[in-house]
């Protein structure tokens, strides 16, 4: 059941945060509060509210803050996945926001992963491939590398390059051995490639994996939204000092 979206209390809190954002000493606190509110709204599937919170942050704190911009892009991507509004339009908006993050903060590999996925969903497979390969070339963290390999596997499979797809899924499993998304992707790619025995074996291994909660794909669309509680706790402690 969908949780209720924030009401008047949340709006009042954001008004106070807007005042704090105008002072140098409290601007970073306000920025992180805007971010936490955006993440929380995304976690509760309140996508329109998430976008509103992020834009209030742009107006009152840092207009090009990469974390807020990333959260905004992810909210559009998640809206497209949930089928709220016009999915294609949401994906185009996600592409625009995520591209801005990649341009202004190229070290944010998380944004590249999302951009690659969005490009793939829009049908720009070659651009998606280049974007995801850039994640791998940058020597990113394990989570970003795993997702980049998984999404590259999907890109290759869509183009009929099943051998490259199987290689990508196998490399994802080298990063996260218990990744069910990669294991099932490998099984499907092997099946399409014509290796039915290998596909059956890969499927059995995927179904036998018990640590599915460790798969980064599981919370892909949640991303940092699940950390909103921790960020709120940090802000509460700071507010008492």
């Amino acid at each position: 059941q969908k949780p209720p979206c924030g009401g008047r209390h949340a709006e009042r809190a954001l008004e106070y945060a807007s005042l704090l954002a105008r002072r140098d000493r409290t601007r970073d606190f306000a920025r992180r509060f805007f971010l936490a509110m955006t993440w929380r709204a995304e976690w509760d599937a309140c996508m329109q509210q998430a976008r509103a919170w992020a834009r209030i942050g742009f107006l009152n704190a840092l207009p090009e803050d990469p974390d807020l911009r990333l959260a905004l892009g992810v909210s559009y991507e998640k809206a497209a996945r949930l089928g709220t509004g016009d999915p294609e339009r949401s994906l185009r908006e996600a592409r625009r926001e995520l591209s801005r993050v990649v341009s202004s903060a190229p070290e944010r590999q998380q944004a590249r992963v999302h951009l690659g996925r969005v490009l793939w969903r829009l049908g720009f497979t070659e651009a998606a491939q280049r974007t995801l390969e850039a994640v791998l070339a940058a020597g990113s963290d394990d989570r970003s590398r795993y997702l980049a390999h998984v999404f590259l596997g999907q890109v290759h499979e869509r183009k009929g390059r099943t051998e490259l797809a199987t290689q990508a899924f196998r490399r994802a499993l080298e990063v996260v051995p218990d990744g069910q998304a990669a294991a099932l992707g490998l099984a499907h790619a092997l099946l399409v490639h014509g290796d039915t025995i290998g596909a059956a074996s890969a499927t059995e291994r995927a179904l036998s994996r018990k640590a599915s909660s460790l798969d980064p794909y599981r919370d892909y669309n949640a991303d940092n939204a699940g950390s909103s509680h921790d960020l709120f706790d940090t802000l509460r402690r700071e507010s008492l000092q």
Side-chain angles (χ1 to χ4, degrees):
Q1 182 176 352
K2 180 180 176 180
C5 297
R8 296 185 62 184
H9 288 294
E11 293 173 358
R12 183 60 58 85
L14 286 163
E15 291 176 4
Y16 290 140
S18 298
L19 296 174
L20 295 176
R22 299 171 188 172
R23 302 173 59 189
D24 291 340
R25 188 170 64 88
T26 54
R27 182 171 294 115
D28 184 64
F29 181 95
R31 182 192 69 83
R32 288 179 289 140
F33 182 77
F34 291 131
L35 183 60
M37 290 292 284
T38 304
W39 283 350
R40 179 58 184 268
E42 287 182 8
W43 185 260
D44 291 339
C46 302
M47 310 318 297
Q48 290 185 344
Q49 196 171 55
R51 294 194 286 272
W53 291 169
R55 290 195 175 99
I56 292 173
F58 294 148
L59 291 173
N60 292 285
L62 300 174
E64 289 301 327
D65 182 76
D67 294 322
L68 279 172
R69 186 72 63 184
L70 173 59
L72 179 59
V74 171
S75 74
Y76 277 116
E77 182 186 6
K78 185 174 182 179
R81 183 179 66 83
L82 295 175
T84 58
D86 183 343
E88 186 172 352
R89 180 180 178 182
S90 293
L91 287 174
R92 291 198 300 268
E93 294 290 343
R95 178 189 181 187
R96 184 183 68 177
E97 300 299 338
L98 295 169
S99 295
R100 293 178 68 173
V101 178
V102 170
S103 297
S104 63
E107 74 282 359
R108 292 291 202 284
Q109 300 305 323
Q110 186 181 16
R112 288 187 191 275
V113 171
H114 279 277
L115 179 59
R117 176 71 166 178
V118 166
L119 289 168
W120 176 76
R121 294 187 64 187
L122 285 169
F124 301 115
T125 53
E126 300 304 326
Q129 180 179 341
R130 291 193 297 271
T131 301
L132 294 169
E133 288 175 344
V135 175
L136 300 174
S140 307
D141 59 281
D142 286 350
R143 182 184 185 280
S144 296
R145 287 169 51 225
Y146 172 80
L147 290 172
H149 280 306
V150 169
F151 296 154
L152 266 177
Q154 294 175 336
V155 168
H156 288 312
E157 189 171 340
R158 172 176 284 184
K159 297 295 289 186
R161 302 186 290 249
T162 54
E163 186 173 351
L164 290 176
T166 58
Q167 292 177 10
F169 291 127
R170 291 186 194 279
R171 287 171 181 160
L173 289 169
E174 291 175 1
V175 180
V176 180
D178 289 315
Q180 282 191 330
L184 289 173
L186 174 61
H188 187 265
L190 288 169
L191 180 62
V192 174
H193 192 61
D195 184 357
T196 55
I197 296 177
S201 177
T203 302
E204 290 175 356
R205 290 197 301 271
L207 294 175
S208 67
R209 295 177 190 275
K210 58 183 179 180
S212 59
S213 61
L214 299 178
D215 190 338
Y217 185 80
R218 178 176 178 266
D219 293 324
Y220 166 71
N221 273 118
D223 263 352
N224 292 323
S227 302
S228 62
H229 300 286
D230 294 335
L231 183 51
F232 276 126
D233 287 341
T234 300
L235 293 171
R236 289 190 190 97
R237 289 194 297 270
E238 292 182 11
S239 68
L240 296 175
Q241 294 177 358

